[in-house]
Amino acid sequence: MTQTDGYLLDNRQTEAGQRFDAFATLFDPTTFRHIERFGIGSGWRCWEVGAGGTSVVSWLAKKVGPTGRVVATDIDTSWAASAARPPVEIRVHDVGAEEPPGEGFDLVHARLVLVHVPDRERALRSMVKALRPGGRLLVEDADPALQPLLCPDEHGPEQQLANRLRHGFRKLLAERGADLSYGRKLPRLLREAGLREVEADAYFPVTSTACADLESATVRQIRGQLVTAGVATNEDIDRHLANVASGSMDLATAPMISAWGRK
């Protein structure tokens, strides 16, 4: 991720760790399935972009073993610091503004990162540059414009409130430079970056405990911004959090589109 004063979901907040845990539960199986298909094994050199938490980094470390290398970067590495032992190297790094932390990587992966980066084009070029010939790039990003609702089944006032808050959240993201339709562009962008054998798919959880955990952590993290922007009152947010905690609503995420290709 790229450091900007307007970044909405600051890694320094307590809720960030709860969001990383929810992302791991929701999306790690999809991410790991794709990387397994690439044939990852001992000795691979990997760059995890915008690492955030430790789940992907730790999994990669087990796959590449002591002869491999995993470079994990983010603008705020506090949540990933506990994984900093061989073969993992943690670096503070801005993918949209700095040169890549090396070249010759067998795998470069970024999940839910580039949608927030102001200079996404430069970030993608940097990631491609870091690959060895034949290396794999896997970029996974949300497409909130493709499915904008928190509750696709909007059948009552609880769901209507949830969707109103989700609309406000999307508006705040867009105002801070997020591209809410970025995910669908990934296959084309990877081809235009010169990658071969480009493919893509999407994962769209409709309801789960992790979806509720993610929603609760996100709303608590951006509560002040939602109130300041006039999206909702504190009473609205309290009511929504209680509705989420009740387990009575089917909460979805935006589709996560995974796109991959070979240099």
Side-chain angles (χ1 to χ4, degrees):
M1 299 178 185
T2 298
Q3 179 68 61
T4 69
D5 292 338
Y7 184 54
L8 187 63
L9 297 162
D10 192 334
N11 283 4
R12 290 169 290 187
Q13 294 176 265
T14 302
E15 292 85 1
Q18 297 162 348
R19 297 180 73 251
F20 294 147
D21 289 345
F23 285 142
T25 300
L26 288 166
F27 300 126
D28 277 2
T30 296
T31 296
F32 298 164
R33 173 171 56 86
H34 289 311
I35 297 176
E36 289 273 20
R37 286 183 59 207
F38 301 158
I40 188 172
S42 297
W44 272 43
R45 296 155 295 173
C46 306
W47 175 19
E48 178 67 14
V49 181
T54 63
S55 65
V56 175
V57 174
S58 297
W59 184 86
L60 290 173
K62 291 178 182 177
K63 289 294 180 180
V64 306
T67 61
R69 183 186 183 209
V70 178
V71 179
T73 63
D74 205 328
I75 56 169
D76 181 346
T77 59
S78 56
W79 293 103
S82 63
R85 54 186 175 274
V88 176
E89 176 186 350
I90 306 292
R91 291 194 193 181
V92 176
H93 179 265
D94 186 336
V95 68
E98 300 179 62
E99 288 296 303
E103 297 187 10
F105 288 103
D106 300 288
L107 169 70
V108 177
H109 172 243
R111 185 174 76 192
L112 304 175
V113 174
L114 296 190
V115 67
H116 300 289
V117 174
D119 198 345
R120 286 175 280 272
E121 183 177 351
R122 176 175 176 175
L124 191 58
R125 286 199 308 268
S126 177
M127 293 161 66
V128 172
K129 178 181 178 181
L131 289 168
R132 67 165 175 82
R136 299 277 198 164
L137 175 64
L138 172 62
V139 183
E140 302 179 294
D141 244 312
D143 196 312
L146 195 61
Q147 195 294 106
L149 302 177
L150 178 62
C151 296
D153 180 20
E154 189 183 84
H155 71 276
E158 296 87 356
Q159 290 77 18
Q160 291 167 2
L161 173 60
N163 286 339
R164 175 158 62 88
L165 293 179
R166 176 53 57 92
H167 176 75
F169 175 44
R170 292 174 59 239
K171 186 171 184 290
L172 291 173
L173 285 172
E175 288 171 352
R176 286 158 175 78
D179 183 348
L180 301 182
S181 59
Y182 188 66
R184 73 190 72 178
K185 303 173 185 176
L186 287 172
R188 171 175 57 83
L189 295 175
L190 266 57
R191 286 194 301 271
E192 290 176 352
L195 297 186
R196 301 176 287 116
E197 302 171 22
V198 172
E199 297 182 50
D201 64 15
Y203 175 61
F204 172 35
V206 175
T207 188
S208 75
T209 300
C211 287
D213 292 343
L214 177 61
E215 173 64 9
S216 177
T218 300
V219 169
R220 285 187 282 107
Q221 187 168 358
I222 65 168
R223 179 182 192 125
Q225 292 97 318
L226 290 170
V227 172
T228 299
V231 173
T233 65
N234 276 306
E235 291 74 19
D236 290 333
I237 293 172
D238 286 339
R239 187 165 69 255
H240 175 62
L241 290 173
N243 292 339
V244 171
S246 74
S248 62
M249 296 193 298
D250 295 319
L251 306 179
T253 72
M256 184 182 75
I257 297 177
S258 304
W260 58 93
R262 186 193 294 272
K263 186 172 181 179

